Amino acid sequence: GALKSHIDREKSQENILFWLDAEDYRSRLITDDEDLDERKRIRDQITTRAQHIMDKYMKDDAQWLINLPAAVAKQIRQQVKDLVDTNAAGGLVKKEDLVKALHVFDPAQREILLLMKRDSWRRFQSSDESRMIRSFTGSVFNTEQFVDPEKERTQIKFQDKFDLVADETLMRTFNCALE
């Protein structure tokens, strides 16, 4: 869609790619039904995936380096290191520990979402593509920021009246995956 094309032209694809990878990482469901062997397998998957995301987006020589405040990047690097070390030592098998590990990238997602809202989304709204789409649809963009107490993190909800802007995945990204 028009939004994806705009982000591609801006060369800011790393933000969307990171957001989607972090959402995928966090989507792993952990239930009380898994036995110890299954939890160990899940622990290994979570650890491997966290390290992969770290290497891809947060290392100094990352292929898709994202722009994060130094304190946030340092905190996440330490949490991923702790996650890897704990896994290597055979820990991290309780459900609570696994669920906590799935939220290691939440602070980075929050920062990237705010960056996209401030930069890419705002520039897109003033782009020729956006103006053209609005002229055909009569749509108006509205943004709303609020704290979702269930998720204990700031959510930014983008509301618009047309689906021509981007494909469903990108709109879900900008809608903060509220569902």
Side-chain angles (χ1 to χ4, degrees):
L3 178 58
K4 183 179 182 320
S5 296
H6 175 77
I7 288 171
D8 288 347
R9 272 193 315 280
E10 281 196 334
K11 305 290 187 218
S12 59
Q13 304 97 322
E14 70 278 2
N15 296 325
I16 295 289
L17 294 173
F18 167 75
W19 177 268
L20 294 173
D21 278 351
E23 283 294 301
D24 181 60
Y25 171 81
R26 190 173 359 118
S27 69
R28 176 64 167 103
L29 296 178
I30 298 170
T31 68
D32 291 322
D33 299 335
E34 287 112 2
D35 62 17
L36 184 60
D37 289 336
E38 177 65 9
R39 289 208 180 157
K40 287 178 181 177
R41 190 181 67 74
I42 292 168
R43 175 197 65 199
D44 292 344
Q45 287 175 350
I46 289 172
T47 303
T48 301
R49 185 76 176 127
Q51 188 63 57
H52 172 75
I53 291 171
M54 188 73 175
D55 293 345
K56 187 175 178 179
Y57 300 103
M58 299 180 73
K59 284 179 72 173
D60 290 337
D61 62 346
Q63 174 188 1
W64 296 99
L65 185 63
I66 55 175
N67 185 12
L68 292 174
V72 171
K74 182 180 178 181
Q75 171 194 2
I76 293 171
R77 282 187 188 104
Q78 185 60 51
Q79 288 176 339
V80 170
K81 181 187 179 308
D82 292 348
L83 180 64
V84 170
D85 292 348
T86 301
N87 183 37
L92 203 73
V93 291
K94 289 191 248 174
K95 177 183 175 183
E96 311 79 61
D97 295 336
L98 293 172
V99 170
K100 182 179 174 187
L102 291 176
H103 293 278
V104 70
F105 295 108
D106 286 2
Q109 279 192 283
R110 185 172 33 257
E111 292 294 332
I112 292 301
L113 182 64
L114 291 171
L115 178 68
M116 288 189 297
K117 175 187 184 257
R118 220 176 25 246
D119 294 336
S120 299
W121 184 252
R122 190 189 58 185
R123 284 190 297 270
F124 173 71
Q125 287 180 293
S126 61
S127 72
D128 290 339
E129 295 101 332
S130 177
R131 281 192 290 278
M132 184 177 71
I133 291 170
R134 284 186 303 220
S135 72
F136 285 116
T137 64
S139 295
V140 177
F141 295 98
N142 296 310
T143 62
E144 169 187 347
Q145 182 169 341
F146 61 97
V147 175
D148 182 344
E150 289 183 21
K151 295 186 179 180
E152 296 182 354
R153 62 184 195 180
T154 301
Q155 303 288 319
I156 300 171
K157 183 176 181 183
F158 291 87
Q159 302 170 334
D160 62 58
K161 295 182 180 179
F162 60 94
D163 294 329
L164 301 174
V165 175
D167 60 45
E168 182 180 340
T169 302
L170 287 177
M171 287 310 295
R172 271 199 320 263
T173 298
F174 280 111
N175 282 320
C176 309
L178 291 174
E179 289 82 25

